[in-house]
Amino acid sequence: MCLWLSLGGEMVANPKTSDTKDKSVSKDSKTKIQSSYAKNRKLKTSSVVTSTSAALPPIILKNHKGNWKPLELLWEESSGAVAPEFRYAKKYLLITDTKKIYLTRRVIKNGKLVLDETKEIQPKMYQKWMNALFEKGIHQLPMEEIPEEQVTGISYNFVTFRFSSTKSKFYYQLDEINQPNWEKKKEIIDYIERMKP
């Protein structure tokens, strides 16, 4: 079972602050200016990558024509070889076409299909997801090859991320994802699973 997630949008850099002060400006004027600046900054930062943030460049999600850049995120997770009544599988697909964004979610629990839907995603939500995924470093992971050693009854789950020239992919088994050295990847998986229209 697999999940593709495509994302695209436009982001704006955080405004730079200045510590310079004009001593000739009255206290009331200074308060009004600062209040106005704070409001403007608050509005602008809603579309900015804010994380371990100042280090991240702005994520430009649209091209010069105003269309969404193609992005795909694929997540696949399943329970492996267990009794049918305990089987589960999850598939999320977020994709963009030139003007719209769609999220498909398909979930099987206890061997039964409990969710199968595709919905359009609003740009603000999409941008929020992209900000979070980049903050978690999904774009910095390498492209892994599927492990050569295949164990009967063990499923290799994975996340694939593609955005412009950036590509990353990692595989995991259910018994290793909770280990301390998998913390960052687990954060990415958990975030994808929480994405809802």
Side-chain angles (χ1 to χ4, degrees):
M1 181 170 203
C2 63
L3 168 70
W4 284 95
L5 174 65
S6 260
L7 305 173
E10 187 167 312
M11 307 197 45
V12 182
N14 280 324
K16 294 182 180 178
T17 60
S18 174
D19 293 332
T20 59
K21 297 180 181 178
D22 184 351
K23 294 181 181 178
S24 66
V25 178
S26 72
K27 186 176 181 181
D28 288 341
S29 296
K30 198 177 293 184
T31 302
K32 288 179 184 177
I33 291 169
Q34 290 171 344
S35 175
S36 174
Y37 173 77
K39 288 179 183 176
N40 289 336
R41 187 174 187 275
K42 186 176 181 181
L43 291 173
K44 290 178 182 177
T45 55
S46 64
S47 62
V48 176
V49 176
T50 59
S51 75
T52 34
S53 76
L56 282 179
I59 306 166
I60 307 301
L61 302 176
K62 288 186 175 180
N63 62 24
H64 66 284
K65 293 182 179 179
N67 296 327
W68 296 116
K69 290 182 179 179
L71 180 145
E72 297 177 343
L73 175 65
L74 166 63
W75 175 47
E76 176 182 321
E77 183 176 291
S78 65
S79 56
V82 296
E85 63 269 23
F86 299 114
R87 288 181 189 163
Y88 78 85
K90 301 169 186 176
K91 174 182 179 178
Y92 283 46
L93 168 65
L94 180 65
I95 60 170
T96 59
D97 63 20
T98 56
K99 299 295 182 185
K100 295 185 178 182
I101 308 148
Y102 297 98
L103 174 64
T104 297
R105 298 185 301 155
R106 190 168 195 270
V107 178
I108 295 172
K109 288 183 179 178
N110 301 324
K112 296 179 181 178
L113 181 65
V114 296
L115 179 64
D116 190 6
E117 68 177 17
T118 298
K119 292 192 174 181
E120 185 176 349
I121 301 303
Q122 295 303 309
K124 284 184 180 180
M125 180 64 70
Y126 170 63
Q127 185 169 328
K128 176 184 173 184
W129 292 345
M130 283 295 286
N131 289 354
L133 290 168
F134 269 72
E135 287 172 8
K136 294 177 188 309
I138 193 169
H139 60 299
Q140 297 172 330
L141 298 172
M143 279 290 289
E144 294 180 5
E145 297 292 331
I146 190 166
E148 293 181 8
E149 183 181 350
Q150 300 291 314
V151 181
T152 303
I154 300 297
S155 64
Y156 279 99
N157 309 296
F158 63 90
V159 172
T160 299
F161 178 81
R162 299 180 185 183
F163 179 67
S164 296
S165 60
T166 301
K167 296 180 181 180
S168 63
K169 184 172 189 174
F170 66 88
Y171 291 86
Y172 65 96
Q173 296 177 21
L174 296 177
D175 63 349
E176 66 186 354
I177 198 63
N178 289 312
Q179 297 173 8
N181 59 323
W182 283 82
E183 184 178 353
K184 290 293 184 182
K185 291 177 180 177
K186 188 174 189 308
E187 284 181 9
I188 291 170
I189 294 165
D190 290 345
Y191 190 84
I192 293 170
E193 187 170 17
R194 290 194 303 269
M195 294 190 308
K196 296 179 181 178

